[in-house]
Amino acid sequence: MLIHLSDLHFGTEKIECITAIQRFCEKHQPEIVVVSGDLTQRAKLKEFYACKQFLESLNTPYFLVPGNHDIPLYHVWNRTFRTFALYQLFFGSLEKTLVTEHFYLIGINSIRRRYHTRGHVSLEQIHRVNQQLIQAPNNKLNIIVSHQPFYSSEDNHHLKDCPTLGKLALAEWGQHHLYALLHGHLHLVAVYDLNQEFALNLGHPVYEVHAGTATSHRLHKKMPNSFNVILNDGTFQHYFFDEQLQDFVLKIA
């Protein structure tokens, strides 16, 4: 089992959601916790520290990428010259890979200091990930993690945050058994088949998986806090926070 959290936004966190996720991990003992960016609200030292403490409390391996809120917004010098300094202090490399029993995870840093919300992926990143997928272990679900989505059906406001080279990247990666991409950023819950949406003509789906905010008060159109689960067979589940029960509850399709 993989748990997909996103947009924790420490600095605006809800303790009841944090406690509920801790209980969930203790009960289900997931293989890995993936966080697709926006660990903090304003990239402050105390926010990164609080996020680190939370992730360590889950007693589960975790895999992260940065989000646009994880670089300084108002401090121009730090944004220019120490863009990811605090993120790297607490969490190390911006682009990691990890092999678990059922999953092969590739992290992509889609954040650029020049832009506040828009995601980017470079030709170098496309090539690097392509090589990683070619060399991926057999019998794993190949999953890419980045903050900004590569596709959104919502509106043009959201589409402008998608990487310009996203379709090109997917046409390459999809040839090497990419199973899914995990994203946050929009605070929405959604799953798309990008093979269909982008007419990639692959013989298999490539899933785009959006996660809502797991722990923050910053909700999208009053959508509840939520997180995703990917089971070992690749099945997707969505858990939403029930204010009355003070717990995350599986949404039944």
Side-chain angles (χ1 to χ4, degrees):
M1 173 190 287
L2 178 155
I3 296 181
H4 173 207
L5 309 177
S6 198
D7 298 86
L8 306 181
H9 288 285
F10 270 84
T12 66
E13 70 272 22
K14 298 168 66 173
I15 187 62
E16 60 268 31
C17 292
I18 290 172
T19 302
I21 292 171
Q22 290 169 331
R23 286 198 305 268
F24 187 94
C25 288
E26 183 177 5
K27 178 180 179 180
H28 294 279
Q29 296 293 301
E31 190 172 322
I32 187 74
V33 172
V34 172
V35 187
S36 52
D38 277 2
L39 313 179
T40 67
Q41 176 62 13
R42 285 289 174 254
K44 296 179 179 179
L45 178 69
K46 64 181 181 181
E47 294 171 352
F48 278 111
Y49 179 78
C51 181
K52 179 82 169 184
Q53 293 296 103
F54 163 65
L55 292 172
E56 293 291 335
S57 77
L58 302 181
N59 296 313
T60 303
Y62 53 86
F63 184 91
L64 313 173
V65 294
N68 56 293
H69 279 260
D70 298 322
I71 65 175
L73 177 60
Y74 300 116
H75 197 300
V76 177
W77 193 93
N78 283 343
R79 187 180 180 91
T80 304
F81 298 106
R82 302 178 70 248
T83 309
F84 297 100
L86 286 178
Y87 178 94
Q88 291 175 301
L89 175 65
F90 283 95
F91 299 112
S93 174
L94 301 173
E95 297 187 322
K96 299 178 181 179
T97 60
L98 181 68
V99 180
T100 70
E101 183 179 357
H102 296 96
F103 306 100
Y104 178 53
L105 301 171
I106 300 173
I108 296 179
N109 174 25
S110 59
I111 309 304
R112 302 293 186 268
R113 67 174 181 265
R114 299 180 187 87
Y115 303 100
H116 177 48
T117 62
R118 185 174 182 180
H120 283 260
V121 60
S122 68
L123 290 173
E124 188 279 329
Q125 286 174 306
I126 293 172
H127 176 72
R128 175 180 60 79
V129 172
N130 215 31
Q131 293 303 306
Q132 289 171 321
L133 289 170
I134 290 171
Q135 299 166 14
N138 294 326
N139 304 317
K140 309 285 184 185
L141 293 177
N142 296 328
I143 295 176
I144 289 173
V145 186
S146 69
H147 182 58
Q148 284 93 344
F150 281 45
Y151 172 80
S152 173
S153 67
E154 282 296 299
D155 53 41
N156 289 332
H157 174 72
H158 289 154
L159 282 173
K160 72 178 178 61
D161 286 347
C162 299
T164 303
L165 299 180
K167 184 175 180 179
L168 173 65
L170 290 164
E172 293 291 323
W173 301 338
Q175 297 179 49
H176 304 294
H177 306 290
L178 174 62
Y179 182 72
L181 301 98
L182 308 187
H183 309 290
H185 188 58
L186 304 183
H187 295 207
L188 297 169
V189 178
V191 178
Y192 307 101
D193 178 2
L194 297 185
N195 184 41
Q196 294 184 6
E197 301 295 345
F198 287 153
L200 298 176
N201 297 314
L202 301 171
H204 58 88
V206 176
Y207 294 109
E208 168 101 344
V209 184
H210 294 199
T213 173
T215 59
S216 174
H217 287 283
R218 301 180 71 251
L219 301 171
H220 176 78
K221 296 181 179 178
K222 298 185 179 180
M223 181 179 288
N225 294 93
S226 63
F227 62 80
N228 301 322
V229 165
I230 304 179
L231 301 180
N232 296 344
D233 65 358
T235 302
F236 301 109
Q237 295 180 337
H238 310 291
Y239 284 79
F240 291 88
F241 191 73
D242 186 306
E243 294 287 350
Q244 185 173 3
L245 297 176
Q246 292 287 283
D247 208 354
F248 285 93
V249 177
L250 175 63
K251 179 181 180 180
I252 305 299

